[in-house]
Amino acid sequence: MHTHVYANLAPMGWVELTEDSIIGNHEESPVSWALDGGHLDSIELDKIPNNMDNFPFVNVCYEGKNYRVSPFDIQIVKSDN
């Protein structure tokens, strides 16, 4: 079974994060990050934050650019091919 990680990155829309991409503060490959549990880079929440800096996010480095991505904009797909 293969694991694919996709992220909704502006302005391209949904892209597959390849092994050339880096995700998370631990600078993992996207597939390793997903298989390790997909840990977020943001602080843990116990209530809805009142400013953008406190919302959940994960850092993504894709094609030389750094993105701060909401976990809602990441999809992990497992397939046979």
Side-chain angles (χ1 to χ4, degrees):
M1 180 154 304
H2 293 86
T3 301
H4 303 270
V5 180
Y6 298 88
N8 190 6
L9 305 177
M12 292 92 53
W14 287 98
V15 297
E16 182 170 9
L17 300 178
T18 63
E19 293 299 314
D20 295 343
S21 305
I22 297 172
I23 190 167
N25 282 341
H26 299 290
E27 298 185 353
E28 296 180 82
S29 73
V31 171
S32 295
W33 174 83
L35 295 176
D36 288 344
H39 298 284
L40 303 180
D41 296 331
S42 56
I43 60 174
E44 291 192 29
L45 298 175
D46 58 356
K47 63 181 181 177
I48 296 175
N50 61 359
N51 64 42
M52 188 70 158
D53 287 340
N54 292 334
F55 272 88
F57 68 91
V58 65
N59 291 308
V60 174
C61 182
Y62 177 78
E63 293 186 349
K65 294 183 181 176
N66 292 313
Y67 298 86
R68 181 177 168 155
V69 181
S70 165
F72 296 109
D73 288 321
I74 295 176
Q75 292 188 3
I76 300 167
V77 178
K78 295 187 178 192
S79 67
D80 292 331
N81 40 330

